[in-house]
Amino acid sequence: MIRCLVVDDEPLALHILEDYISKMPFLQLVKATTNPIEALTIVQGGNIDLVFLDVQMPELTGIQFLKISNGKAKVILTTAYPQYALEGYELDVVDYLLKPIALDRFFKSVQKAQSIIQPVIKTVQQAEPVQQDDFSTDFIFVKTEHKIQKVYLHDILFIEGLKDYISIFTTAERIITLQGMKKMEDALPEKHFIRVHKSYIVALNKIDSIERSRIQIGDKIIPVGDTYRDDFFRIIEDKNI
């Protein structure tokens, strides 16, 4: 768990961030306070991993807080004023969230913080490739908007990339998660899955037919990109009889 502290002189802003943090299973809220001096004391105690820090506060500004805390915890700045962004990044903040903060933007920001604070924790975002010989029981955990969902590998038909999101199409449903295709590709066993396009990964055992550079899985037609064509057809050739 990443231990969090929220510092903002506006109670409504505190409430919103408390609610967002409660939706993230890898975040633990230690304290939410309107008092930056109290917050600084907590951070100096060394029990906080991540601070959500307002910039404009009457007693102590967020920039002053950053300078005094001297890197004791990672910081995500939260403010309605974009002009402080450059100074914040010069002080090595993780991210800069402009109010009003949307949940999807918050999610992306805390994932960035997680990759910095917990680089050895393996989730779907930094998944360790699963064992190749237990495909029928292997699974990954996927972070959706409100939960972490188990997905069995043998149920996956194909995966489609959509900018910062991916859609995982299974035999039962479509699952959308904030994720990159490269990290998802690295998380899947090469024996059973292959990247065939910049936007598609397919399960080899779910391919129904191949016609020229088009793959059919159920009702879905998936193109084979030029970059991936040779590797794909080499694998298909190995399985020909």
Side-chain angles (χ1 to χ4, degrees):
M1 298 290 284
I2 296 175
R3 297 162 297 182
C4 302
L5 173 67
V6 181
V7 193
D8 200 305
D9 63 338
E10 298 176 8
L12 178 59
L14 283 183
H15 176 73
I16 291 171
L17 288 172
E18 285 180 288
D19 179 58
Y20 284 179
I21 289 170
S22 71
K23 290 179 166 64
M24 304 293 136
F26 55 93
L27 299 182
Q28 176 188 355
L29 179 63
V30 175
K31 181 78 175 181
T33 179
T34 58
N35 186 338
I37 304 301
E38 177 190 21
L40 188 59
T41 302
I42 295 171
V43 169
Q44 296 286 19
N47 194 41
I48 299 297
D49 302 309
L50 179 64
V51 182
F52 295 92
L53 179 65
D54 188 23
V55 174
Q56 288 199 325
M57 296 180 289
E59 293 180 313
L60 189 71
T61 70
I63 300 301
Q64 290 170 330
F65 186 106
L66 274 168
K67 292 177 179 178
I68 296 170
S69 62
N70 197 29
K72 285 279 188 177
K74 294 299 181 183
V75 172
I76 294 174
L77 290 178
T78 62
T79 182
Y81 303 96
Q83 62 264 32
Y84 297 104
L86 179 59
E87 189 172 4
Y89 283 121
E90 288 174 347
L91 291 168
D92 198 29
V93 300
V94 172
D95 206 351
Y96 193 95
L97 294 177
L98 283 176
K99 299 175 181 177
I101 301 167
L103 180 59
D104 62 337
R105 181 65 181 86
F106 176 86
F107 185 29
K108 188 173 183 178
S109 185
V110 296
Q111 281 192 309
K112 182 179 179 182
Q114 184 186 36
S115 69
I116 294 170
I117 296 168
Q118 298 179 324
V120 298
I121 290 182
K122 303 296 182 181
T123 62
V124 166
Q125 283 69 29
Q126 297 171 296
E128 184 175 344
V130 295
Q131 295 298 316
Q132 303 272 343
D133 53 356
D134 293 320
F135 184 63
S136 63
T137 57
D138 277 332
F139 57 87
I140 55 175
F141 284 110
V142 175
K143 292 178 183 176
T144 62
E145 186 175 358
H146 299 296
K147 63 182 178 180
I148 294 180
Q149 184 169 343
K150 179 190 282 187
V151 181
Y152 283 99
L153 298 187
H154 64 80
D155 286 335
I156 297 175
L157 301 173
F158 63 91
I159 297 163
E160 181 178 10
L162 304 165
K163 293 186 178 179
D164 293 330
Y165 296 81
I166 61 171
S167 289
I168 302 173
F169 291 81
T170 74
T171 53
E173 61 184 323
R174 177 189 181 189
I175 301 165
I176 299 176
T177 180
L178 186 64
Q179 175 61 273
M181 286 289 282
K182 181 62 169 65
K183 288 183 179 178
M184 177 57 73
E185 181 183 7
D186 291 342
L188 298 172
E190 296 179 1
K191 182 178 179 181
H192 300 289
F193 294 90
I194 184 169
R195 184 94 171 256
V196 297
H197 188 276
K198 66 179 181 179
S199 299
Y200 290 99
I201 298 169
V202 301
L204 287 166
N205 69 336
K206 297 300 193 299
I207 294 175
D208 294 317
S209 64
I210 303 164
E211 183 179 353
R212 297 179 181 174
S213 292
R214 298 189 303 168
I215 299 166
Q216 183 162 356
I217 299 178
D219 295 330
K220 178 71 174 181
I221 302 297
I222 297 171
V224 179
D226 292 342
T227 304
Y228 306 92
R229 182 177 290 111
D230 289 347
D231 287 341
F232 173 67
F233 282 104
R234 188 180 301 114
I235 289 173
I236 295 303
E237 184 66 29
D238 289 342
K239 294 184 180 295
N240 282 348
I241 59 171

